[in-house]
Amino acid sequence: MKIEMTASPALHIKAIGYERTNTEKILSIELPNGIRKFYGVPKNIYDELVKTLHRADFLVKVLADNYKYEDTACN
């Protein structure tokens, strides 16, 4: 499953994307060293991330502490 990513103006976040299927809600964030996928994230949380000016803080305070995630390295 490939998630369409949108470029981010944030310094430490290159792009973000969201995909909802029948069984998954995945928010993907492209960081300088890879992609971090968060699972079970409601669409409204993604919408908040897109609107916020402090995306790195949002990533740490809202996403990393509340949702299961996995990191994959960029090739």
Side-chain angles (χ1 to χ4, degrees):
M1 156 171 55
K2 179 147 173 88
I3 297 175
E4 185 175 325
M5 304 292 280
T6 302
S8 170
L11 181 62
H12 299 293
I13 297 175
K14 296 170 84 175
I16 57 175
Y18 186 82
E19 182 171 1
R20 181 180 178 151
T21 67
N22 291 337
T23 58
E24 301 267 8
K25 295 180 222 168
I26 303 170
L27 187 152
S28 294
I29 298 177
E30 184 179 351
L31 303 167
N33 60 344
I35 294 177
R36 180 167 290 174
K37 291 184 179 183
F38 292 90
Y39 297 94
V41 178
K43 177 78 163 64
N44 67 306
I45 299 294
Y46 166 76
D47 293 338
E48 285 182 43
L49 173 62
V50 170
K51 292 177 188 174
T52 189
L53 297 176
H54 304 286
R55 291 181 177 170
D57 290 340
F58 191 93
L59 184 136
V60 173
K61 294 177 182 173
V62 176
L63 296 171
D65 289 343
N66 296 302
Y67 297 96
K68 178 182 165 190
Y69 65 89
E70 70 177 350
D71 292 326
T72 57
C74 285
N75 294 337

